[in-house]
């Protein structure tokens, strides 16, 4: 696919409206983590698991719309989160943020790669290494080479299939089996799923919302979509996206009831395998396969494309400002192949669960949430201490993880960040007041 400039490769040739904006955002956030992670959370935390996944994305997308309006007014002509951070941070803070963003990009693709390999193994019996290779090759061609035009074309089809799957499969089974029969089976075999007084589940919801805010606020693909939209349509687009997204994790969690109400299971992968076996209608099975593969591919593609955009526009171009548009596009294609190969190797070597990854990288997101808000709300350039507060939170979170459970480590990271940030803001406020008083005298 031919692009005339690197900006066109990143953002497309025109601004998008509310409809395509909502589709594009949902295609980014209806991911393998949504489809396979929300059932895993449901099994571990009961009904609060699915609710947590639902709220963590919904609240964060709605809130980001309000912040996004200020981002666009501060820097209307940007392309990536890196452009904005470069205009708001000093060199130390800028390069520290770029390093953190690259880590979160690899994490996002790693999660989708795992989900893709597992999906191909469950559906077609492919060995996970071969499934991963097929998945990564397809994603590199689809998003890395195809660019934003291909991503948007794919997004329209993906969202239609996703909603068809989320509606038709639960309705088909609940009508066929009977809602009361399903409820009685859950109460017999898995009564813990229906417990309302589940303190750990409620903590998961709150922790999930905290992680969700951090994920959305530093997600490079979401920032790119922010710059694709007409400025006056940013808030309604993200508001609608958040409200619609809230229904999707709940629908996929409900699908797992199809398997759970009839007995026990070994692990989350056996549960997903049983779900595929119970979909006895060819049309619904094809729909589920297309939905799952489309969500994973779209999310990986968006992450890959946004990482390429960040590397070329906010790293390479700073060292090679004289580079032509054709050189930048060719470098983007090369980075797509290299990043796909690195992601394949990492996914092949490490095999954690999706929920483990959410908690592990949740420390990063919980530490970045408040600093990003302060950076956006700060007039002029933000101090390096704002980024240092995030680094302090990161360090404390991963150190405390050796002694406490995952959710407590996330809250420790967030709390340390908040305390360091509050201390800095208080000192800065006192110093500013002192300088004003001195100037008057």
């Amino acid at each position: 696919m031919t692009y005339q400039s690197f900006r066109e490769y990143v953002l497309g040739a025109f601004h998008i409206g509310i409809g395509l904006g909502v589709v594009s955002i949902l295609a980014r956030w209806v991911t393998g983590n949504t489809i396979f992670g929300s059932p895993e959370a449901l099994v571990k935390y009961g009904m609060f698991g699915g609710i947590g996944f639902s709220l963590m994305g919904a609240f964060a997308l709605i809130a980001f719309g309000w912040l996004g309006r200020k981002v666009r007014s501060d820097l209307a002509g940007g392309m990536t989160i890196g452009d904005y951070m470069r205009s708001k941070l000093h060199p130390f803070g800028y390069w520290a943020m770029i390093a953190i963003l690259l880590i979160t990009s690899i994490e996002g693709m790693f999660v989708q790669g795992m989900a893709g390999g597992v999906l191909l193994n469950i559906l077609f019996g492919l060995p996970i290494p071969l499934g991963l290779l097929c998945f990564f090759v397809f994603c590199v061609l689809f998003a890395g080479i195809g660019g934003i035009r291909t991503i948007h074309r794919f997004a329209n089809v993906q969202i239609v299939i996703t909603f068809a799957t989320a509606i038709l499969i639960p309705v088909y089974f609940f009508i066929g089996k009977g809602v009361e029969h399903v409820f009685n089976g859950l109460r017999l075999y898995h009564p813990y799923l229906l417990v309302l007084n589940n303190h750990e589940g409620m903590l998961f919801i709150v922790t999930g919302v905290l992680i969700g805010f951090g994920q959305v606020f530093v997600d490079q693909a979401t920032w790119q979509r922010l710059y694709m939209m007409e400025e006056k349509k940013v808030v309604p687009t993200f508001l609608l996206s958040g409200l619609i997204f809230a229904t999707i994790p709940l629908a996929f969690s409900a699908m797992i009831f199809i398997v759970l109400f009839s007995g026990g299971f070994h692990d989350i992968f056996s549960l997903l395998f049983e779900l595929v076996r119970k979909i006895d209608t060819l049309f619904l099975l094809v729909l589920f396969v297309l939905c799952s593969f489309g969500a994973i591919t779209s999310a990986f593609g968006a992450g890959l494309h946004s990482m390429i955009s960040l590397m070329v526009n906010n790293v390479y171009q700073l060292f090679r400002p004289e580079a032509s548009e054709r050189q930048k596009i060719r470098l983007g294609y090369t980075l797509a192949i290299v990043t796909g190969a690195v992601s394949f190797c990492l996914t092949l070597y490490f095999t954690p669960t999706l929920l483990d990854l959410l908690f592990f990288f949740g420390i990063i997101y919980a530490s970045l949430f408040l600093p990003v808000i302060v950076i956006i709300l700060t007039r002029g350039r933000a101090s390096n201490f704002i980024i240092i507060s995030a680094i302090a939170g990161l360090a404390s979170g991963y150190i405390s993880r050796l002694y406490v459970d995952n959710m407590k480590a996330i809250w420790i990271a967030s709390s340390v960040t908040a305390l360091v940030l509050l201390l800095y803001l208080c000192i800065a406020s006192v110093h500013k007041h002192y300088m004003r008083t001195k100037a008057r005298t």
Side-chain angles (χ1 to χ4, degrees):
M1 187 167 290
T2 304
Y3 290 95
Q4 300 303 314
S5 67
F6 188 71
R7 185 180 183 85
E8 186 182 350
Y9 171 84
V10 175
L11 300 181
F14 55 89
H15 283 303
I16 60 178
I18 294 177
L20 184 54
V22 170
V23 168
S24 184
I25 292 168
L26 290 176
R28 167 66 187 98
W29 287 105
V30 179
T31 66
N33 208 19
T34 305
I35 294 175
F36 300 126
S38 54
E40 185 180 347
L42 174 75
V43 169
K44 187 170 184 179
Y45 299 107
M47 66 175 66
F48 292 107
I51 295 172
F53 260 88
S54 175
L55 296 181
M56 68 187 288
F59 287 161
L61 288 172
I62 292 171
F64 185 74
W66 295 99
L67 278 180
R69 183 168 59 180
K70 182 164 191 318
V71 168
R72 289 296 301 274
S73 65
D74 288 345
L75 185 68
M79 291 195 294
T80 66
I81 184 175
D83 290 341
Y84 186 80
M85 292 301 168
R86 189 182 176 198
S87 71
K88 297 286 287 188
L89 296 173
H90 298 285
F92 169 81
Y94 172 74
W95 289 111
M97 179 61 77
I98 291 293
I100 294 172
L101 290 173
L102 292 178
I103 293 172
T104 58
S105 295
I106 292 293
E107 177 266 338
M109 289 183 284
F110 180 50
V111 169
Q112 304 313 315
M114 281 189 57
V118 169
L119 178 65
L120 291 173
N121 178 258
I122 291 172
L123 296 176
F124 307 113
L126 288 178
I128 286 183
L130 179 59
L132 287 172
L133 181 61
C134 295
F135 173 77
F136 282 118
V137 169
F138 178 79
C139 287
V140 167
L141 294 174
F142 151 68
I145 308 299
I148 196 63
R149 290 182 200 158
T150 307
I151 292 173
H152 276 164
R153 289 171 185 169
F154 187 83
N156 291 311
V157 179
Q158 180 219 331
I159 292 304
V160 171
I161 293 174
T162 297
F163 277 99
T165 305
I167 294 170
L168 294 179
I169 293 181
V171 168
Y172 172 80
F173 277 96
F174 287 143
I175 291 177
K177 301 295 183 181
V179 174
E180 185 178 356
H181 185 50
V182 173
F183 176 77
N184 290 333
L186 289 173
R187 190 168 58 179
L188 175 63
Y189 292 107
H190 306 282
Y192 64 91
L193 295 179
L194 306 174
V195 174
L196 294 176
N197 190 24
N198 184 344
H199 298 295
E200 190 177 16
M202 287 186 280
L203 178 61
F204 173 76
I205 290 179
V206 180
T207 306
V209 170
L210 176 64
I211 295 172
F213 271 90
Q215 281 183 319
V216 172
F217 283 19
V218 300
D219 180 66
Q220 299 163 51
T222 304
W223 279 71
Q224 278 182 236
R225 279 140 187 80
L226 171 67
Y227 278 115
M228 293 175 195
M229 301 173 197
E230 298 176 34
E231 185 175 344
K232 64 182 180 180
K233 296 180 180 178
V234 167
V235 174
T237 300
F238 278 94
L239 175 62
L240 282 174
S241 300
L243 294 175
I244 296 171
F245 175 86
T247 64
I248 298 174
L250 295 177
F252 281 98
S253 296
M255 284 187 199
I256 298 301
F257 291 154
I258 297 167
V259 180
L260 291 174
F261 87 96
S262 58
F265 61 95
H266 296 294
D267 52 38
I268 190 63
F269 299 118
S270 68
L271 195 60
L272 294 170
F273 182 75
E274 286 298 320
L275 174 62
V276 172
R277 287 185 57 190
K278 283 185 176 289
I279 302 177
D280 51 8
T281 303
L282 180 61
F283 171 73
L284 293 180
L285 180 59
V286 171
L287 201 61
F288 178 77
V289 171
L290 292 176
C291 169
S292 302
F293 189 74
I296 295 166
T297 303
S298 178
F300 184 94
L304 178 64
H305 180 257
S306 61
M307 182 177 178
I308 292 168
S309 304
L310 184 77
M311 289 291 292
V312 174
N313 194 57
N314 302 113
V315 178
Y316 173 75
Q317 190 168 291
L318 296 183
F319 294 98
R320 291 285 304 277
E322 75 284 356
S324 68
E325 297 299 309
R326 183 53 49 194
Q327 286 176 317
K328 288 188 279 189
I329 292 173
R330 279 202 300 265
L331 176 62
Y333 294 159
T334 303
L335 284 173
I337 297 170
V338 172
T339 305
V342 171
S343 301
F344 170 73
C345 294
L346 288 174
T347 310
L348 194 63
Y349 185 76
F350 297 103
T351 56
T353 68
L354 294 176
L355 206 56
D356 288 338
L357 283 173
L358 177 69
F359 285 136
F360 183 82
F361 287 98
I363 292 174
I364 297 178
Y365 296 124
S367 302
L368 288 175
F369 163 47
L370 288 175
V372 169
I373 293 177
V374 174
I375 289 170
I376 293 173
L377 297 180
T378 299
R379 293 182 180 179
R381 289 190 181 271
S383 169
N384 287 333
F385 282 101
I386 297 175
I387 298 299
I388 291 172
S389 70
I391 296 172
L394 283 172
S396 62
Y398 284 111
I399 292 172
S400 64
R401 192 171 177 269
L402 301 173
Y403 307 99
V404 299
D405 62 48
N406 288 318
M407 282 198 283
K408 289 180 181 176
I410 289 170
W411 283 102
I412 289 173
S414 179
S415 299
V416 170
T417 299
L419 288 173
V420 175
L421 200 54
L422 181 62
L423 180 63
Y424 159 71
L425 292 175
C426 289
I427 294 173
S429 178
V430 170
H431 180 263
K432 187 176 181 180
H433 178 73
Y434 171 76
M435 294 303 293
R436 284 180 178 175
T437 304
K438 186 177 180 180
R440 289 172 186 171
T441 58

